Structures are given as structure tokens and as C-alpha cells.
Amino acid sequence: MHAGQGGSAVWTVPNAVSMVRLALVPVFAVLIVSGEDVWALIVLAVSGASDWLDGFLARRLDQVTKLGQVLDPAADRLFILVTLIGLLWRGVVPWWVLALVVLRDVLLACLAPVLARYGYGPLAVTMVGKAGTFALLYAFPLLLLAQTPGPVGTVSRAVGWAFAAWGIGLYWLAGWHYLAQTRRLVRAERDRERREGPA
């Protein structure tokens, strides 16, 4: 079975959760730019919880779908990107944090046409990739909370940057795993084509 296969249903509970998370992206963008930090923190918390919830429901309800396999990581990446842009706008994170995340996603985007050429869909999300996403989604509200003066801000800054470092590291480790997996799949398909010869 090629990577990325699943059911063809669209309107499932996990997909609805992912769609809600996508709908929260512009809401968060407006809140963070407007300086509404409390509401922005709430939206980030809801997004982080929904990221765990949709995967849990998909497995628990046996509702893993092709759309969900694309929608869930797409929602994660879009939320991470918009959040980082908002935090960069506010001066909460430096530009290189955004650059590291974007470069990794550009790498994955370059793999998509290679996989499609050999009949493969998006690769299944790995535990390493999911752990990196979780770490980043935990880091963002903490880094935003770090703007609070006093002990709360100090502790949030230390813990937030620890989560951010782990998240970026795991994000890139997962990217390396996806690259290696793509190379294995392409090599296997080319070997099969050589054995079978021209059609």
C-alpha cells in the first residue's frame, strides 16, 4: 500500500476538528497583531489541544481518511507559520526561528512532486514529526506569556525556548526521516521498473 492511503470520507469528526483549527488561523493572526495577548493565548491553547484531539479521534473512531492525512499536517504547518510570523512581528522571536521552520517545510514541499511521479501521496506523519509539532505548539504560548513582567515571564521564557529548541530540532529530524523515506521509495520503484523493463 502506498504511503498516504486512507478512507475517502470527507465529513468526519477528526476532519471537522482540523477545519476548526484552520479557521482559527486568521483569528489568531488578528489577535496577535492587535496585541490581544490573552485571547491569542486562548486560541493557541485551543489549537494545541485540537492538534492532539483530531489524531486521537481519527484512531479511536477509525476515521483515518485521505483528506485528514493532508488536512491535519497542513493545518499544523499553516498555524505554526502564521504564529511565527505574528511573534516575529511582535519581536517575540528572531527571524532565524521562522527561517529554520520555513526551510524545513520547503524541503518537504520539494518531495511532493517526486513522490507523486511514482504514485505516492503524502508520507504518513511520523512520531518524531508529531513530537516536534507538539513542542512548537507548546513553545508559542509560553513565549507569548514570557512578555509578562516578573517571575511568570521569566519562567515562561526559559521553558518556552526549551520547547522551541526541541521542537525545531525534532522538526528537522523528522524532515531528514521523510527525505530518507522518499529516497527508499524512489529507489525501490526504479529497481522495480528496471526488473520489469519497458512497457
Side-chain angles (χ1 to χ4, degrees):
M1 182 180 291
H2 280 189
Q5 289 188 344
S8 59
V10 173
W11 296 111
T12 65
V13 174
N15 288 354
V17 174
S18 292
M19 290 176 186
V20 169
R21 190 158 76 256
L22 277 172
L24 288 175
V25 171
V27 175
F28 173 79
V30 171
L31 291 172
I32 192 69
V33 170
S34 303
E36 297 287 345
D37 290 357
V38 174
W39 285 107
L41 281 168
I42 292 173
V43 171
L44 278 177
V46 171
S47 175
S50 67
D51 182 50
W52 171 84
L53 183 62
D54 61 4
F56 172 79
L57 291 174
R59 294 185 296 271
R60 187 67 179 266
L61 301 177
D62 193 23
Q63 292 183 346
V64 177
T65 65
K66 293 178 181 178
L67 177 61
Q69 290 172 335
V70 174
L71 195 61
D72 180 36
D76 289 343
R77 287 170 190 150
L78 182 59
F79 213 103
I80 287 172
L81 176 62
V82 171
T83 302
L84 279 174
I85 291 174
L87 294 178
L88 179 62
W89 175 273
R90 289 282 302 278
V92 176
V93 298
W95 66 267
W96 56 263
V97 173
L98 175 62
L100 284 174
V101 172
V102 169
L103 284 174
R104 185 270 198 181
D105 286 341
V106 168
L107 169 65
L108 293 191
C110 292
L111 297 180
V114 177
L115 289 165
R117 181 177 181 274
Y118 291 95
Y120 289 92
L123 296 174
V125 177
T126 65
M127 288 303 297
V128 174
K130 207 63 176 173
T133 299
F134 279 148
L136 288 175
L137 290 176
Y138 279 122
F140 296 151
L142 288 168
L143 291 175
L144 189 56
L145 192 59
Q147 306 310 298
T148 305
V152 172
T154 302
V155 173
S156 297
R157 184 175 298 105
V159 178
W161 276 112
F163 270 114
W166 273 104
I168 292 172
L170 291 171
Y171 214 56
W172 271 96
L173 180 60
W176 177 257
H177 287 171
Y178 295 135
L179 178 61
Q181 186 178 357
T182 300
R183 291 181 62 185
R184 288 195 299 270
L185 291 172
V186 170
R187 189 180 298 116
E189 289 295 326
R190 287 177 176 172
D191 289 344
R192 182 183 61 80
E193 289 175 355
R194 280 195 293 268
R195 289 195 303 270
E196 294 179 355

